[in-house]
Amino acid sequence: MGTVTLGVSLAVPEPYGSLLQQRRAGFGDPAAQAIPTHVTLLPPTEVDPELLPAVRAHLARVAASGQAFPMRLSGTGTFRPLSPVVFVQVVEGAAACSWLQRRVREASGPLQRELHFPYHPHVTVAHGISEEAMDRAYEELAGFEAAWTVESFALYQQGADQVWRKLSDFAFGGAGLGVPAVPAQGSPVDEPAAFRR
């Protein structure tokens, strides 16, 4: 019957989401346009499509038990040499992200799975590209700053074209499904506004 590939994440809102996606593409990362800018709560996970209703119900319960929290990004980090990734750091909101991802993956739910690496919330800006390009990402985004209130998370599915598309939003406090809490990534933005020099 096959499986579907799902992921759960916190969207990085505009203007920051498009800005970081554009910068990721500019560093030569071929996956940039296929992946909305995000903080992962559940990495790509294969699921039987018949479980989708149970997955949505589970995520709605997780969201209902959560509450909005402040998120702040600042500066860059890297997982090299363990993994070829450069990221923007989560400097506020990491504890809430960790709590959420544990709830999403809990053993009683349909998304239970082990992680290949310890959970570390972050926003990827370069992955699997040349060392020189990753160095450039690390240096050029070192002054990046962004802050907002996280009010929801979302379920995504990866298509056959490798593009990740949102299936549902889950607002904290049981406010319901399908109401986006942050604008979708869209038009180009004025880059300097998101940097503190």
Side-chain angles (χ1 to χ4, degrees), residues 11 13 149-154 156 166-172 175-185:
T149 299
V150 177
E151 298 177 339
S152 68
F153 59 84
Y156 289 81
K166 186 188 295 185
L167 297 181
S168 305
D169 281 291
F170 299 88
F172 295 131
L177 307 182
V179 181
V182 297
Q185 286 181 220

Side-chain angles (χ1 to χ4, degrees), residues 16-122:
Y16 314 115
S18 288
L19 188 156
L20 289 176
Q21 190 177 44
Q22 292 163 13
R23 294 305 305 269
R24 184 171 178 173
F27 298 132
D29 190 328
Q33 299 305 325
I35 305 173
T37 308
H38 68 281
V39 176
T40 298
L41 297 177
L42 177 78
T45 300
E46 298 291 321
V47 174
D48 185 325
E50 292 185 356
L51 288 177
L52 274 170
V55 166
R56 285 189 166 99
H58 169 65
L59 294 177
R61 286 190 296 272
V62 172
S65 66
Q67 60 185 6
F69 61 92
M71 175 80 81
R72 187 164 68 88
L73 309 178
S74 181
T76 49
T78 183
F79 294 133
R80 294 183 290 173
L82 186 62
S83 181
V85 173
V86 172
F87 56 87
V88 172
Q89 298 188 76
V90 173
V91 296
E92 184 177 5
C97 291
S98 294
W99 180 86
L100 278 170
Q101 65 88 25
R102 284 193 304 272
R103 293 293 315 278
V104 167
R105 294 186 303 105
E106 64 192 1
S108 62
L111 297 173
Q112 190 278 329
R113 62 162 290 174
E114 296 299 318
L115 299 179
H116 298 301
F117 300 102
Y119 181 73
H120 180 90
H122 64 281

